[in-house]
Amino acid sequence: MEMLLSTKGITICLFFFVLSLAAAIEIPLSVSQLPTITEQSHTQVAYPFDEDFTIKCEARGNPQPTFNWTKDGKPFDLSSDPRIVTSNNSGTFVIQNRGIINNFQGKYRCFASNVLGTAMSEEIELIVPSVPKFPKEKIEPLDVEHGDSVILHCNPPKGIPPLHIYWMNIDLQHIPQDERVSMSLKGDLYFANVEESDSRSDYCCFAAFPRLRTIVQKMPMTLKVSRSNFLKERKPKLLIPPESAGSSSSVTVIKGGVLLLECIAEGLPTPHLSWVKVTGNMPKDEPETENFGKTLKIDQVTAADEGTYQCTASNPMGRARHEFHVRVEEPPQWLKKPEGGVYSVGTNLVLLCEAIGNPEPSIQWKLNGMPIDGRTFRGRISTREISLTNLQLQDSAVFQCEATNKHGTILASANVNVLNIAPLILTPDGENYASVVGYSAFLHCDIFASPAADVRWSKDDSIEPLSTFRYELNKNGTLEIRNTKKEDSGSYVCWAANSVGKRAITASLDIRDATKLVVTPKKPRVLKSHSILLKCQAEYDSHLKHSFKLSWRKDGDELPVNSTEGGRIILDRDTLFISSVLLEDQGVYTCVASTALDAAEAEAQLIVLDVPDPPEDLQLSDNQNRSVRLSWKAGASHNSPVNESIIEFEENHWEPGTWQELSRVPGNGTTALLSLAPYVNYQFRVVSVNAVGRSQPSKPSLRYATPPAAPDKNPENIRVEASEPNEMVMKWEPLKPMERNGPGLEYKVSWRQRGVETDWNEELVKKHSLSVRNVPTFVPYEIKVQAVNNLGSGPEPNVTIGYSGEDVPDAAPSGVSVEVVNSTLVKVFWFGIPRDRVRGHLRGYKVSWWKTKSMLDGKRHHPEKHFLTFVGDRNYGMIPGLDPFSEFRLTVLAFNSRGDGPESSPVVFETPEGVPEQPRFLRILTFDKDSVTLSWGLPKKANGHLTGYVLQYQIINETHEVGAVNDVSVANRSVQSWRLAGLSPSTKYKFYIKACTAKGCGKAATEEGLTLAQGSKGSGRISDAVKPTPKFQPSEALEPGTEYTIRLVTKNWVDNNSIFEDVIETRGRAYAGIYEGISTQGWFIGLMCAIALLTLLLLTICFVRRNKGGKYSVKEKEDLHPDPEAQSIKDEIFGEYSDSDEKPLKGSLQSLNGDIKATGSADSLVDYGEGEHGMFNEDGSFIGAYSGSKEKGSVESTGSSTATFPLHA
């Protein structure tokens, strides 16, 4: 909308035409002018309950008008009565309600005058009503006979209408009225004929005057009805209008008023009243009758209602008629009223005055409130026109035109102001205007002038008038600039000039940037129950920020600022958030921005997506035995087209209440031909699917039952199962309920031995299996199963081959031999048993073995059998996990589904020597600044004859670099301690000990320690892991004659607080004496007792902790559930020590276990069978290590104990 121009400050010009503005603008009060009546009263009622009564008359003019009044056409002096209160510069007066005020009743007229003329008001009627009263009178009782006609007269007093009349008894109960008894418009009660039940003494007439707030009652009247000696039947006679009025009468009604025609008749039987229009047609709307048909009523009377109306009163005895000649008249109404105005000197004047009415109204002209004398009036005057030529200043006057007929008077005034003044610019000088780029700007210049003034506008001090199509001067002098631009900003001057003078005002115009809005997202699509956030981004002129307002509308209706629907819809300035969107939230959301100068809107079309509504109106057609056509009407898709319809069915015989899918219709189709199964009582329903999801199911269709038929298919998955050798059990999948096709379903089973020419054996069964006994073991049979029901058989069945029952193999494998691969692995070979000796389906072979003795000590072992299973028809297998240097026996058997066959004869084999297991411990007995004495235990399993030990050590200071590994060979296998010399002081070492046989060395036990600094006294630290269960713990690494501090701590504590601490000194001969007669030493006995006491205490603590923390030992808990925080603390306290055997030899190129060769094998992994060790799959594939045993972790580890040295002397 914004347009930029490269030129600025140039003058754009436009010449305007001369405007006649005097008649269009109200004359300013600063200009001399005639009086004008601005406010007056109309008909006024002086109610007795009011405190005072105001008669209004206000006028304006210059000079200020003076006021005079007339009453009933005569001058009325407002000062003549002290009860009249007046106001300065006003014609209004107030009459105070004191004393008798009846003399104020009359018709008043107000005259406002100044030196230029006189204005006159319309007549104001003041009505002073008297308080209505019934006269006090004695009313004689009326004595009549049964069947006579009676009139009870009310004669209500006069009062201000409306008047309501009621006939009631003394108990204020209404007198019942009907066709026989009714009240006339004047209030009299008419009896067409009386009955004895009409006798009463309290007929009361009540007259109500609502505007006077008054109800008056007439004295009660008595009516006595006596029984007549004869029946007074007679034809109707009209009581209203009376017979004296003749057969017709005239009625005049005012146009727009209400026409009421009344006929009341007497007679016996009671007459019935009817109405017709004799001349012309009845009104299009049937006229309303009231008072049981006795009154004809026409509202809003028009000229078409004129004519002759006839009422007819009839009974079986005769009828009576009366005609009403209705004439419609109307009070005066203006066709053309005289219009005054401002006239300049020398112009001409023509005033027109035309009125209509019935009768035709008379026209009277007045000048300044007085009748015009045609003899002295210098202009021309006629009934409908007054004209004056060459107007002069003294011709200023108020002309009045009055139209009168018998129904009323109307008055019209025309002020003729003859003026000769210079232009007056009514708009203040120096006004500041602002508009927005692209909008129209309006610069006002309201002018009053006589003669008419020429008006023009100029810009930026230019004397040239404005021009171009974008500028337009309105009739009131306002300059309109269309499609404003920034260049339109500046100063403007409005000039007004006539023959008398010239005036000018200035105005400034600022052009602001237009407000712009963008709502994002523009066309959001949101799933029902999801949320949507609409953002309204606004740009507006900074000068307008104080007036900037933002609001939201939905489909044109304002959304409240506060959150709605319990917080589901939230408006927050420029955002609109809707949570849990509903379908009714769909619509057009409009962001509305407004400033003091412009407004802008931006819309977002919110589309709510949901699953379809359920389909409706399911219909079945084209009914056939095996098909039916289903049609339906799709439900609302909710802005996501239906892409599929799912047809489901339910049958009430096999699975009543369960719905199953039958068919799918792609796209938005609404009909489908359904294939049906026989002998099913169907009902259907449809589910519509769109991109959002599935609709709720439709209401079910009517049921449709298909007739029965023979089976269409036979059972499937025919198989033979047997639990006994001479038995054959034939089984199959039974037909589903929907596949039975009819009642009486059975299965015809046929079988015969394969390859033997013989007849089929047949049997009908209802269940889905058949057992046949006394058949040969594991013989093939041909089997057929056919479905049969009451209507016939299914198709010819296919032949299935099955075998009779199996028996266990009756032969053992032969030629069993063993090939030793290494110390823990052998390969077994055998010859399979013949096919006919399997007596079933061969499942595989089982190899069993057991250890008989150890070759190391010759000790016999209790036989503990192990086995591996090798699946399939094969003749070899691998047996891993054997103990080295041992004697074994081994057997092989075949097995089938029935079980195991006989075992082969045992085969004896021996395994060669292997490498030893890890020594039980490695401990530091003593240490000095350059030497360490180490002690170790025997390996748990030697796996052969020990040949000696290999002792290794290396520097492992707390750096990434480690020292080289040094080897020491201990050839004497009976030596279990060693002193290493030539070590560096204050250096941390890691030590390794491995046991060796002729086959090589085993896994190493490890320990770490720190040598002493120069000049330090030797001391050491030895740690043992203690089980919680024993009551004592031997320590084999103590030196004789040495003092030790014994401390007992829990493994998982993170500080060095001990639960027991004591000091002991060892005694003895030499180091070797530790192992001789130690149990007889007193100190040892005391030590054991202390340890027993400590162990008991430890057990108590462990028991408590186990109840809190579970059944695992402390060490196991640490391993299973390490506490990172506790571990970090422990690392800080014991960081220089290690209790792990797995720390690598940093920097070493070869493993300490490098001399222990892996026992490899060239055999395939499928050579390993299934066994109790769980290391092999069913197919014999290898899933574990070759080792035959696996150690379980516990506190009693066979790894090295941890010896810790102090880091400083």
Side-chain angles (χ1 to χ4, degrees), residues 410-430:
I410 55 176
L411 174 68
S413 298
N415 285 16
V416 176
N417 287 279
V418 182
L419 300 174
N420 190 43
I421 61 173
L424 293 176
I425 300 180
L426 306 180
T427 302
D429 190 16

Side-chain angles (χ1 to χ4, degrees), residues 91-93 106 126 164 171 190 271 296 298 319 356 371 459 465 627 674 766 791 812 882 943 1108 1131 1150 1194:
T92 300
F93 64 93
L126 176 63
H164 302 295
D171 295 326
Y190 286 78
L296 179 70
I298 300 177
R319 61 186 61 201
I356 59 170
K459 181 176 183 292
S627 68
L674 306 178
K766 292 185 178 179
L791 283 86
L882 302 176
N943 293 336
K1108 292 182 179 180
D1131 291 345
Q1150 61 176 356
S1194 68

Side-chain angles (χ1 to χ4, degrees), residues 819-826 851 855 879-888 909-916 942-944 997 999-1000 1156-1160 1186-1188:
E819 176 185 326
V820 177
V821 179
N822 57 40
S823 62
T824 62
L825 177 68
V826 298
K851 183 177 178 179
M855 304 296 293
I879 308 300
L882 302 176
D883 290 342
F885 209 43
S886 300
E887 181 186 84
F888 291 89
F909 67 92
E910 294 180 357
T911 56
E913 285 188 82
V915 297
N943 293 336
T997 64
K999 282 290 185 178
I1156 303 176
K1157 306 300 181 182
T1159 54
Y1186 281 10
S1187 61

